[in-house]
Amino acid sequence: ALSRSYSSASDQRQRTMDDANESNDDSSCYDEHLPSMIVFDLDDCLWTPEMHELMGMPTIAVKDPSNNNIVVGMKVASSQDVVRLFDGARKVLTELATNPVYKDIILATASSSLEPSYSYACLEGLEILPNKTLADMMMYNQIGRTGHL
């Protein structure tokens, strides 16, 4: 194998393609058709309800005893509001977290949420796997109505 140095994500992707091309091993998991990044919207895309509909900050973890007691919801103390991932979103995120084929894909969020602090509370609280939150999975977050949308 040739010795190369790579610094950026695109360089890393190129290194992976170069390594795959140099290898005659059919066991490689690399698929050049995979995206280098996936960006998720939050409100009504990954979860429901929307943050602006909540009566306050979601701070109470709702656990699922049938699923390793992972946090599947974030409840607002002063109401019955519970933020939960959509089933399809949970399935996709679980696949991304567990299947090594996707290990090099960068994950991010982008949301024009009116309540960014509520969104961050949900990212930090909702678990995909035991002790692996959405925040743990995301490399970048652009949440709120400031900055570059």
Side-chain angles (χ1 to χ4, degrees), residues 38-106:
I38 299 172
V39 181
F40 295 97
D41 193 353
L42 299 175
D43 291 355
D44 273 344
C45 292
L46 281 187
W47 60 47
T48 191
E50 294 186 35
M51 298 295 104
H52 72 89
E53 297 173 338
L54 301 176
M55 299 300 292
M57 174 85 71
T59 57
I60 301 168
V62 177
K63 296 184 177 187
D64 181 357
S66 69
N67 189 6
N68 295 312
N69 240 7
I70 66 170
V71 177
V72 295
M74 292 299 294
K75 185 178 182 313
V76 176
S78 61
S79 74
Q80 296 301 311
D81 294 335
V82 178
V83 178
R84 295 182 188 275
L85 292 173
F86 287 109
D87 290 341
R90 178 167 294 284
K91 287 176 185 174
V92 166
L93 290 163
T94 300
E95 180 71 10
L96 289 169
T98 59
N99 190 328
V101 169
Y102 306 117
K103 69 180 174 55
D104 293 326
I105 296 176
I106 297 168

